[in-house]
């Protein structure tokens, strides 16, 4: 059925009621208590086996490991898509992003479909928390909207320091070649000289320092460890013993991110905020191992696939004094649960009208809520979700208990795996379990019937040329956004990318007109970097 006819299932209604009851059980009338701070840390392209507490042997990650030892480490933690932007749309809304047409990455910003972006009809977590009086800040990669009205300052964030696109160079633009995208503070392009991972950590710590006396939401979506592979020398020195340059650089990038997780946690400890702060750490998708050496071990598959390696990720939740310390939780949970968990912790009622797909994880992680297990699929301690779903282009998957039904990599048929016995998805049981395949396919089809068709498809220079479009409207919208003084031309400072600007400024007068911008981006198929 279409999304506007969405109705809650009995399980969802029970879960919402149980969540409220569980929060009351955790400390009386929650509305009278101070709301907790929220810290949401997102790694980019970090594989399941990419940090120490998930099995990495050659990358010490003491600070991320400390999050796990001081909180709950999920071993069946999922995201809603095997690529960046759709996962972030689901994470920010608590809803399967396919419900509102956000199914794919946009491609390079200069070529993105004009319809790309998180629709205004969908409320972000920042917008919800801002309504409760929380200070809201974001420091890092956005990737869910480029146009005015769809950027972080327009979607609930009081403070924003970061970039809008899907990838960025970690160092300032130097020499002949640079992929540095504009770094923004709010809506203004700024110059940033520090290694980008360190800069984002610095800004998050500053935000915490300045808002320590009121509830805050600190969203820290690193672009680490997404390509390009670039690391500061102080981090590279830690891995001089690794001969392979690609692997050495990747390890250094993970180590830099871990250091900055530590800086954030140190700031919370310094001000006595640990017991008043709910912390999440998650990756946006699995690692692209051939490109960056990221590890998804022991899973099969990579970023871009709905096999486990593309969608099962490190997922840690810590709330000192409220959640168990050092617990390992193995039942399936998903990034959609972040919004529901945060809103329950903040004492904000959530009902069917919110149409959220996640659940409040706190009662499951504490053991306060333990509904009957799923028939034939559960472990006996209760499942947060009857099923989890994926749709990405022609790929599709469903996890129900320990069973997973999947069609990936243009496979013409469904494959069935029992993940508790076969985490690597090596033994297809579909021929042995045809009735189960049929039943699970029907469940997936019923979910799929609730979704919208994608509002856009990924575009780049090649797809635009094939489609015969010039993309002028997209360039014009971006041009107007950067033209801060409204004089109809861009200066080098307004554009923010010196090397690209020099190529775009064809007449060399120190300014770029809209026609020069259109000619540069679409006159030869793709922009130079």
């Amino acid at each position: 059925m279409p999304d506007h006819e969405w109705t809650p299932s009995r399980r969802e209604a029970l879960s919402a009621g149980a969540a409220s009851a569980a929060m009351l059980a955790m400390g009386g009338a929650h509305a009278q208590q101070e709301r907790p701070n929220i810290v949401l840390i997102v790694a980019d392209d970090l594989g399941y086996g990419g940090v120490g507490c998930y099995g990495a042997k050659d990358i010490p990650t003491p600070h991320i490991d400390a999050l796990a030892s001081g909180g709950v480490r999920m071993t069946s933690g999922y995201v809603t898509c095997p690529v960046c932007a759709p996962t972030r749309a689901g994470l920010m809304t608590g809803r399967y992003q396919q419900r509102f047409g956000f199914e794919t990455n946009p491609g390079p910003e200069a070529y993105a479909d004009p319809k790309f972006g998180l629709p205004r009809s969908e409320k972000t977590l920042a917008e919800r928390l801002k309504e409760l009086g929380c200070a809201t800040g974001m420091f890092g990669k956005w990737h869910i909207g480029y146009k005015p009205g769809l950027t972080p300052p327009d979607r609930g964030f009081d403070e924003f320091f970061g970039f809008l696109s899907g990838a960025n160079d970690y160092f300032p633009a130097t020499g002949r070649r640079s992929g540095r995208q504009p770094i923004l503070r709010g809506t203004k392009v700024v110059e940033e000289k520090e290694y980008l991972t360190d800069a984002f950590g610095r800004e998050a710590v500053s935000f915490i320092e300045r808002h320590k006396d009121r509830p805050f939401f600190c969203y820290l979506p690193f672009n680490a460890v997404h390509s390009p592979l670039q690391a500061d020398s102080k981090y590279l020195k830690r891995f001089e013993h690794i001969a392979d340059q690609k692997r050495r650089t990747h390890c250094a990038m993970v180590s830099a991110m871990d250091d900055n997780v530590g800086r954030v946690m140190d700031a919370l400890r310094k001000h006595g905020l640990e017991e008043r702060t709910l912390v999440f750490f998650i990756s946006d998708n699995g690692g692209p191992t051939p490109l960056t050496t990221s590890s998804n071990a022991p899973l099969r598959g990579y970023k871009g696939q709905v096999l486990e390696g593309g969608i099962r990720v490190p997922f840690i939740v810590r709330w000192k004094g409220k959640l168990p310390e050092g617990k390992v939780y193995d039942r399936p949970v998903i990034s959609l649960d972040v919004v529901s968990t945060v809103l329950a912790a903040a004492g904000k009622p959530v009902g069917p009208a919110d149409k959220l797909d996640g659940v409040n994880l706190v009662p499951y992680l504490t053991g306060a809520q333990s509904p009957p297990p799923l028939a034939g699929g559960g472990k006996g301690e209760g499942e947060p979700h009857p099923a989890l779903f994926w749709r990405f282009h022609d790929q599709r998957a469903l996890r129900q208990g320990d069973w997973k039904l999947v069609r990936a990599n243009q496979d013409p048929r469904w494959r069935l795996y029992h993940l508790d016995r076969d985490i690597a998805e090596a033994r297809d049981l579909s021929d042995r379990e045809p009735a189960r395949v049929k039943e699970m396919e029907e469940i997936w089809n019923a979910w799929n019937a609730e979704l919208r068709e994608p509002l856009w498809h990924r575009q780049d220079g090649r797809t635009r040329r094939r489609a015969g479009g010039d993309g002028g409207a997209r360039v014009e919208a971006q041009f107007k956004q950067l033209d801060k003084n409204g004089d109809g031309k861009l200066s080098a400072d307004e554009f923010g990318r010196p090397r690209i600007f020099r190529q775009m400024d064809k007449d060399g007068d120190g300014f770029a007109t809209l026609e020069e911008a259109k000619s540069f981006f679409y006159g030869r198929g793709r922009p130079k970097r």
Side-chain angles (χ1 to χ4, degrees), residues 328-523:
V328 176
Y329 188 76
D330 74 341
R331 304 317 304 145
V333 298
I334 196 164
S335 51
L336 301 171
D337 298 329
V338 170
V339 168
S340 295
T341 303
V342 167
L343 295 180
K348 182 174 177 59
V350 174
D354 292 283
K355 301 183 181 181
L356 298 182
D357 290 305
V359 302
N360 173 22
L361 291 176
V362 170
Y364 294 97
L365 304 184
T366 61
Q369 181 167 315
S370 185
L374 295 176
K379 292 274 189 145
E381 66 183 67
E383 305 278 344
H385 296 274
L388 298 177
F389 303 89
W390 291 269
R391 188 184 79 181
F392 179 57
H393 299 298
D394 61 346
Q395 299 186 70
R396 54 201 64 184
L398 162 70
R399 177 163 179 177
Q400 186 180 39
D402 292 322
W403 291 96
K404 181 179 176 184
L405 190 68
V406 59
R407 284 177 60 179
N409 304 328
Q410 299 180 329
D411 194 332
R413 55 171 291 185
W414 290 102
R415 307 290 176 175
L416 180 68
Y417 303 101
H418 192 280
L419 296 177
D420 188 47
R421 299 191 292 261
D422 180 24
I423 194 173
E425 296 173 289
R427 298 184 295 276
D428 175 23
L429 303 176
S430 58
D431 289 338
R432 292 173 52 183
E433 297 267 2
R436 187 180 299 277
V437 170
K438 184 176 185 298
E439 177 185 355
M440 293 180 70
E441 181 180 11
E442 290 174 353
I443 293 172
W444 187 91
N445 286 336
W447 172 76
N448 186 57
E450 301 175 359
L451 310 181
R452 294 187 64 173
E453 289 298 312
L455 292 179
W456 63 83
H457 294 281
R458 186 186 187 281
Q459 296 187 143
D460 55 26
R462 292 169 297 177
T463 56
R464 279 294 177 88
R465 291 197 302 275
R466 288 195 296 267
D470 64 5
R474 179 71 197 96
V475 172
E476 185 171 355
Q478 185 68 12
F479 187 95
K480 290 180 178 178
Q481 182 180 352
L482 294 174
D483 182 15
K484 300 304 181 186
N485 62 7
D487 64 355
K489 55 188 179 182
L490 297 182
S491 66
D493 288 340
E494 286 175 319
F495 188 69
R497 297 174 65 187
R499 187 185 185 296
I500 299 293
F501 180 82
R502 288 194 295 271
Q503 296 178 50
M504 189 166 60
D505 178 19
K506 288 187 175 182
D507 60 10
D509 66 351
F511 295 94
T513 65
L514 176 59
E515 291 308 312
E516 284 176 321
K518 287 182 178 180
S519 175
F520 172 75
F521 282 109
Y522 293 100

Side-chain angles (χ1 to χ4, degrees), residues 68-201:
S69 62
V72 183
R73 179 171 64 92
M74 321 294 184
T75 55
S76 294
Y78 291 91
V79 288
T80 55
C81 188
V83 298
C84 308
T87 284
R88 292 161 193 265
L91 177 67
M92 280 289 99
T93 61
R95 284 164 44 81
Y96 282 109
Q97 64 277 357
Q98 299 94 336
R99 294 193 185 280
F100 45 88
F102 199 129
E103 191 159 339
T104 70
N105 275 344
E109 181 177 351
Y111 300 106
D113 190 296
K115 295 188 293 296
F116 167 70
L118 182 66
R120 294 291 308 186
S121 59
E122 302 300 319
K123 186 174 287 189
T124 69
L125 179 57
E127 289 168 329
R128 293 179 186 273
L129 291 175
K130 191 170 183 177
E131 290 174 353
L132 298 178
C134 293
T136 56
M138 180 197 154
F139 314 98
K141 166 179 166 176
W142 179 236
H143 207 200
I144 54 176
Y146 300 138
K147 296 190 296 186
L150 300 179
T151 64
D154 301 308
R155 300 313 308 263
F157 288 100
D158 301 323
E159 300 183 25
F160 168 55
F161 178 85
F163 62 95
L164 303 178
S165 56
N168 213 336
D169 274 13
Y170 292 80
F171 295 105
T174 57
R176 293 188 308 106
R177 186 176 180 84
S178 175
R180 172 56 70 91
Q181 304 294 318
I183 303 298
L184 305 176
R185 187 178 295 280
T187 58
K188 182 179 179 180
V189 176
V190 297
E191 182 180 3
E192 177 54 58
K193 296 182 179 180
E194 194 171 6
Y195 181 62
L196 209 50
T197 303
D198 293 340
F200 293 149

